[in-house]
Amino acid sequence: MPLHYYNPLVLAMLALALVASINAKDRIFGNRVFDGPWEPLEPNNPHLIELGKLAVDLYNKQAKTKLVFETVGKVEIRYSLTMEHFYRIHLTAKNGNKFEQYSACIDENAYEGHTDLVSFGIIPAPYLAPLPLHIYHGHGLGK
């Protein structure tokens, strides 16, 4: 069918949708679309400390390592349009006899009842930042 048979309003809407999807590409993580930027959170929150511990535990199971959780540093959250919360957590863990800083991304979906480790990795030395001294170390938070 020739192009002049299509409704101009439909073509304009398709063009607008294409432009919107191109502009939103930085908001897409996998197949999820986020509603807004990363927002800082207070790292002393007991729930965030538990998420830091969980990240280390899940990583230990996947990578067959024996990291020991120590502290939570910087924490940020990003909300998705599918009711998921993504946490970016900088934490310190003990690896053998040395302390190292790691970055973990946690996907928490309270509606569906799951929490998944999306990524976990060591923060390279040039990017290390000293953790604040007031951070609660999380000891004694047994379940």
Side-chain angles (χ1 to χ4, degrees):
M1 185 177 276
L3 187 59
H4 66 277
Y5 288 110
Y6 290 100
N7 185 338
L9 182 59
V10 172
L11 291 175
M13 290 173 55
L14 288 173
L16 183 62
L18 177 63
V19 169
S21 69
I22 291 169
N23 289 337
K25 71 179 182 182
D26 65 324
R27 296 174 41 211
I28 298 174
F29 182 79
N31 61 351
R32 299 165 182 98
V33 178
F34 291 102
D35 185 25
W38 288 100
E39 299 175 16
L41 293 176
E42 174 57 46
N44 293 328
N45 181 317
H47 180 65
L48 301 178
I49 293 168
E50 288 299 322
L51 286 178
K53 288 179 177 182
L54 178 65
V56 171
D57 290 344
L58 292 173
Y59 180 75
N60 282 338
K61 288 177 187 171
Q62 292 175 6
K64 309 283 190 257
T65 58
K66 295 183 180 177
L67 299 177
V68 178
F69 172 82
E70 288 294 320
T71 61
V72 169
K74 178 180 172 183
V75 181
E76 297 172 303
I77 190 169
R78 198 165 193 192
Y79 303 97
S80 80
L81 298 176
T82 58
M83 302 290 292
E84 292 171 286
H85 298 144
F86 285 84
Y87 296 92
R88 188 163 48 193
I89 303 172
H90 289 191
L91 57 92
T92 300
K94 193 170 183 182
N95 186 3
N97 61 357
K98 61 182 176 176
F99 293 93
E100 297 175 328
Q101 291 186 27
Y102 296 87
S103 179
C105 185
I106 298 280
D107 168 11
E108 182 179 59
N109 188 324
Y111 181 73
E112 293 180 4
H114 71 79
T115 302
D116 299 315
L117 181 63
V118 177
S119 66
F120 191 97
I122 192 164
I123 300 174
Y127 301 103
L128 292 178
L131 293 174
L133 295 176
H134 69 278
I135 291 177
Y136 178 73
H137 289 273
H139 300 292
L141 279 179
K143 289 185 176 182

